Amino acid sequence: LGLYGTIMGLNPYAKDKGLKGFCSAVVIATAARTAVLPFNYPFDTVRRRLMLESEKAPADRLYRSGIHCAMEVMKKEGVAGVYKGLFPEIFRGFGGVMVVVCYERIKNWMK
């Protein structure tokens, strides 16, 4: 949301209540999310792998902690392992983009 707010401050159509304002907000929100995603995604990968391991008995788990998980993934799979599934995540996040944009548009209409 921080990058979205910063870029929206530079948007000449930010106050536009019509189609131009909506489309520019969607493009900006998508660009902001796509720019930030590569920095957050490795943490999501570690979180997902730890969640999958949580059902197993502690003795059967592959990872002891988040740091151990990240180090093992990097050692065994390299950088590609940390970013596995990044491309589909870009499209999956469009719903979140629409929530932010619709909230912003409704807020503008109520003014």
Side-chain angles (χ1 to χ4, degrees):
L1 284 176
L3 184 59
Y4 170 74
T6 302
I7 298 172
M8 277 301 283
L10 304 172
N11 181 7
Y13 302 111
K15 301 286 185 212
D16 187 294
K17 295 180 181 178
L19 188 59
K20 282 184 190 176
F22 178 78
C23 289
S24 68
V26 169
V27 169
I28 289 170
T30 303
R33 184 179 187 285
T34 303
V36 171
L37 190 63
F39 299 104
N40 295 337
Y41 199 75
F43 298 105
D44 284 341
T45 300
V46 168
R47 178 187 53 82
R48 275 193 303 277
R49 288 186 183 217
L50 288 174
M51 284 184 351
L52 289 171
E53 292 285 309
S54 68
E55 296 292 321
K56 297 179 182 176
D60 296 335
R61 293 181 185 165
L62 296 173
Y63 311 116
R64 295 187 301 267
S65 67
I67 293 172
H68 181 251
C69 176
M71 290 173 58
E72 287 294 311
V73 170
M74 287 295 287
K75 189 181 348 175
K76 292 179 181 173
E77 300 175 42
V79 175
V82 176
Y83 286 102
K84 193 180 292 182
L86 176 68
F87 190 69
E89 180 65 26
I90 292 171
F91 296 105
R92 204 171 336 173
F94 191 71
V97 166
M98 292 307 295
V99 167
V100 170
V101 170
C102 288
Y103 170 77
E104 192 76 26
R105 297 289 98 195
I106 290 170
K107 193 171 80 174
N108 280 347
W109 277 13
M110 295 178 101
K111 286 184 180 178

